Amino acid sequence: MKIGIIGSGAMGSGIAQVAAQSGNDVVLCDTRTEALDKSKAGLSQTLIKLVEKGKLTQEAATQLDNRIQYSIDLKEMAGCDLIIEAIVENLEVKKTLFANLEAIVSEQCILASNTSSLSITAIASSCQKPERVLGIHFFNPAPLMPLVEIIPALQTSIELPEKIKVLLESWNKVPVMAKDTPGFIVNRVARPFYGEALRIFEEGIADIATIDAAMKDLGFKMGPFELMDLIGNDVNYAVTESVFSAMYFDQRYRPSITQKRMTEAGWLGRKSGRGYYGYNNQTAPPQPQDNPQLRAAISNRILTMLINEAYDALYLGIASAEDLDTAMTKGVNYPKGLIEWGKEIGLENCRNSMAELYSFYQEDRYRCSVGLRG
Ligand code: NAI
């Protein structure tokens, strides 16, 4: 197949590598020559490392490299069978691009967006043939993260999502189906991991190191504050704000002022050398409190909110139970799927924990989902 990728930033470059690795010819397009040069140089470095580690032969690396063509001319997309767009996260810019693309590509060409937060239905509406448009949402870094969310728009033809699922499986990815709703699966269900941790911190219940340690006690590889520092506080805040407004200001998704201030200060996390933690080795990292009771209370509260969110998504038909669990384990490395975890803890216990939170706070944020009530 010939695959077109538009936008040669972090995501587009990674997706191009994935497609080429599976034997496809790839055209990678960007409006900026510097971005294409950077992408090409980045791939060369990656390939050298893969060959050094023995994960790829020199011959395979050379073939992979040769399969990717770089271009600033959108017309090069003409012969593609599938195009995946990974440009700036802006609805109007994406709509213009999709409308322009249709004038270049064949009738059969499938058009996909890698958007994290925009409506696939709105993007599809810019096309003459919206039935060929869908969301194919990779996770960062695309070559390493197995999960891909497939999101049909309202207008997408019935058979297209299944066809893309088979294709992505042949690329060694783990695809799940998600309804076209804000945050799809992962960016919706994961919100309490950050939001509830921030709330606990703001209430002064514990410091960041203790909250992180509490979640690691449960088997999470990173705590919420460590993960926000890795993702970037600006990026994480923008996703939260976008989900919050797209959900008509449902209090469960309310962004945190703490995170807003961190972003305003430029304390973005690892990439800026300072976030919740310091990354210039000048100060010793803060130590978590060795208080098992406190840590259990924190982890139980965050996990309960996550399970409530997952059961709400299940109730609202955002995805199947199986896909919800696959998404969280393969997209963000959760130690267990939340639907399964809820069953293990017992739904009645989860309901009781939600009821306790609600009775204490009397806030809509802590309402128990109908999905959890069974
Ligand atoms: P990026 O900023 O690294 O790259 C975007 C690239 O698109 C830039 O090189 C830019 O020059 C190019 N571009 C902008 N407008 C263009 C146009 N009209 N035509 C052609 N090229 C254009 O962005 P990143 O992080 O790769 O994100 C791209 C998309 O993927 C966004 O929609 C984002 O929401 C989504 N996404 C991002 C993830 C992440 O963790 N960074 C994860 C999953 C999805």
Side-chain angles (χ1 to χ4, degrees):
M1 267 179 105
K2 190 166 178 187
I3 311 292
I5 313 283
I6 310 180
S8 67
M11 293 308 294
S13 301
I15 300 167
Q17 185 191 329
V18 171
Q21 216 153 349
S22 306
N24 299 287
D25 287 326
V26 176
V27 191
L28 182 53
C29 188
D30 203 290
T31 42
R32 296 183 305 123
T33 320
E34 317 88 79
L36 290 170
D37 291 345
K38 192 176 165 206
S39 172
K40 196 171 164 52
L43 179 66
S44 298
Q45 284 304 315
T46 305
L47 292 177
I48 290 169
K49 278 193 204 133
L50 288 174
V51 171
E52 273 172 10
K53 285 188 193 158
K55 294 198 169 157
L56 213 61
T57 63
Q58 183 58 55
E59 195 193 353
T62 309
Q63 278 177 357
L64 194 162
D65 209 10
N66 290 340
R67 274 189 214 114
I68 307 182
Q69 180 198 333
Y70 298 81
S71 175
I72 51 161
D73 187 1
L74 200 62
K75 292 203 180 69
E76 295 285 346
M77 292 287 144
C80 291
D81 304 292
L82 163 66
I83 294 174
I84 304 174
E85 164 278 311
I87 67 165
V88 57
E89 189 74 337
N90 176 305
L91 182 61
E92 287 316 310
V93 180
K94 286 192 198 279
K95 282 173 89 168
T96 307
L97 174 70
F98 273 70
N100 291 341
L101 267 179
E102 262 199 322
I104 295 170
V105 301
S106 73
E107 290 271 298
Q108 294 75 35
C109 179
I110 301 162
L111 303 178
S113 174
N114 184 52
T115 178
S116 298
S117 63
L118 302 172
S119 152
I120 306 297
T121 300
I123 296 172
S125 74
S126 66
C127 290
Q128 305 281 334
K129 282 177 61 118
E131 62 274 16
R132 61 155 112 190
V133 178
L134 83 170
I136 305 185
H137 184 222
F138 287 81
F139 288 76
N140 194 11
L144 297 182
M145 300 306 287
L147 187 76
V148 183
E149 293 175 336
I150 300 175
I151 309 110
L154 282 188
Q155 309 95 317
T156 308
S157 72
I158 296 292
E159 62 287 351
L160 186 54
E162 200 56 41
K163 192 171 155 184
I164 294 297
K165 185 174 178 213
V166 172
L167 176 75
L168 289 169
E169 279 166 351
S170 78
W171 292 6
N172 288 322
K173 289 296 175 192
V174 179
V176 291
M177 295 289 177
K179 205 167 173 176
D180 186 13
T181 45
F184 312 131
I185 303 177
V186 171
N187 282 334
R188 172 193 191 122
V189 175
R191 297 268 57 82
F193 189 69
Y194 317 106
E196 207 50 29
L198 283 157
R199 172 79 188 241
I200 290 168
F201 172 68
E202 284 170 355
E203 285 184 39
I205 294 171
D207 55 278
I208 54 167
T210 305
I211 300 170
D212 277 350
M215 294 316 280
K216 287 193 279 187
D217 292 343
L218 280 183
F220 285 86
K221 291 205 177 85
M222 295 178 95
F225 294 95
E226 289 167 333
L227 190 52
M228 286 185 278
D229 271 1
L230 180 69
I231 295 168
N233 283 307
D234 53 338
V235 173
N236 194 266
Y237 181 73
V239 174
T240 311
E241 247 202 338
S242 142
V243 171
F244 180 55
S245 58
M247 289 294 199
Y248 305 109
F249 309 106
D250 184 330
Q251 291 303 303
R252 276 218 311 267
Y253 307 106
R254 193 174 67 199
S256 143
I257 288 175
T258 299
Q259 194 174 34
K260 184 160 196 262
R261 292 288 179 268
M262 295 294 284
T263 305
E264 288 167 348
W267 296 352
L268 308 180
R270 280 174 190 267
K271 64 184 174 187
S272 70
R274 177 170 184 175
Y276 292 103
Y277 297 93
Y279 296 95
N280 40 23
N281 298 323
Q282 278 166 1
T283 44
Q287 291 305 306
Q289 289 180 56
D290 186 17
N291 180 341
Q293 233 179 336
L294 174 66
R295 277 157 63 159
I298 293 167
S299 59
N300 183 47
R301 175 165 161 187
I302 298 175
L303 181 60
T304 300
M305 290 293 277
L306 282 167
I307 290 171
N308 191 49
E309 199 59 53
Y311 274 85
D312 201 57
L314 180 64
Y315 176 70
L316 294 171
I318 308 304
S320 68
E322 197 190 341
D323 279 1
L324 278 163
D325 279 0
T326 302
M328 303 317 282
T329 51
K330 303 285 183 199
V332 269
N333 285 327
Y334 279 22
K336 240 177 273 178
L338 295 166
I339 301 295
E340 184 200 333
W341 215 335
K343 284 185 190 148
E344 253 179 55
I345 293 170
L347 296 193
E348 196 182 338
N349 292 327
C350 296
R351 284 195 291 271
N352 290 341
S353 300
M354 285 306 295
E356 270 175 40
L357 283 167
Y358 188 79
S359 108
F360 185 74
Y361 289 105
Q362 305 275 309
E363 282 178 48
D364 192 37
R365 176 184 177 88
Y366 297 104
R367 69 192 186 276
C368 183
S369 165
V370 186
L372 201 51
R373 280 186 246 150

